[in-house]
Amino acid sequence: MVDATRKRRTRADEDSLFDRELDHLPSEVRWREWMHRVEAAIFAASEPVGRESLARIVGKSCSIDHLIHDIRVELRGRPYDLVAVAGGWKHLTRPAYAEAIGTAVGASERAVDLTQSEVLVLMCVAYFQPITRADLSSFFGREISRDLIGHLRGAKLITSGPRSPTPGAPYTYVTTKEFLQEFSLGTLRDLPEFEALEDAGLLSKEKLLAGEIIPGFADIHDSGASVALDE
C-alpha cells in the first residue's frame, strides 16, 4: 500500500515538472512539438498507447484526435502508419509490405500460428461472446476440444468470461486485448458486421461448418497482416 502510494506521488511529481502546455512557443511550433511527442511515445512503446497516456505529454486544450490526424496525414505515402488498436494507437507497417518484410527479416516473432479450425472457433467467440465450450460444440456439431481452447488461451487470444446461467454454471469465453492487437482492431465494433455479411450472402452457418472464413478474418499466419515497427 505504501509502495503504491509512493509510486502515485512520484508520477504526480514528474507530471508537475513536465511542461505540457509549452506556452512560451508560438502556436504552430507548439502544435508541431506536441505532434513529435505523441509520435515518439507511440513509436517507442511496445504496446498500443492510450489516450490517457498521451494526454500527459500535451496541453490540456490539445485534441489528441486532431494530432493523430495530422501525424497520419504526414505519413501518407510512407510504408507505415499510426493505427488505432485495442483502445490505443500503434505504429504498424502497411499490409502491402508484409511480403517484403517477411522476405527481409522473417515473420514477426509474435505472430500466432493457428489452424483453420482454431480461427473458425476464435471467430465465433469474437462474434458471440460470452460463449461456452458446449455452445461452440453445439454450433459446429462436433466437440470443441479442451486442447483447442487451451491453445487459444495460451496465445492470449481468449480468456474466461462470466459464468453461464445454464446448469452447472460453466465458464464462458471472451476475446482479449491481445486479440484486438493481433487483428489490428481498435475495438470489437471494428469486426465486419455479422448481419451485413449474412444479408450479402457472404456468411451462413453452412459456410462456417464447411470451413469458409469471413473475408477479413483469414488465417493470421497467411493474411499478410501488418506488423509492428519494433518487431
Side-chain angles (χ1 to χ4, degrees), residues 110-115 118-119 151 155 157 182 219-222:
R110 292 179 62 190
V112 180
D113 188 14
L114 301 180
T115 66
E118 289 167 342
V119 173
H151 187 209
L157 296 174
E182 194 66 42
D219 192 302
I220 296 171
H221 189 69
D222 298 326

Side-chain angles (χ1 to χ4, degrees), residues 100-161:
I101 293 170
T103 300
V105 299
S108 166
E109 293 182 358
R110 292 179 62 190
V112 180
D113 188 14
L114 301 180
T115 66
Q116 180 163 302
S117 294
E118 289 167 342
V119 173
L120 289 169
V121 170
L122 178 59
M123 182 186 69
C124 286
V125 173
Y127 277 102
F128 303 121
Q129 61 188 300
I131 187 171
T132 66
R133 187 168 68 92
D135 289 336
L136 288 167
S137 298
S138 177
F139 184 89
F140 286 101
R142 61 181 184 276
E143 183 179 6
I144 301 302
S145 71
R146 296 183 185 275
D147 287 343
L148 189 154
I149 294 295
H151 187 209
L152 294 177
R153 285 176 61 95
K156 298 183 178 180
L157 296 174
I158 65 171
T159 189
S160 297

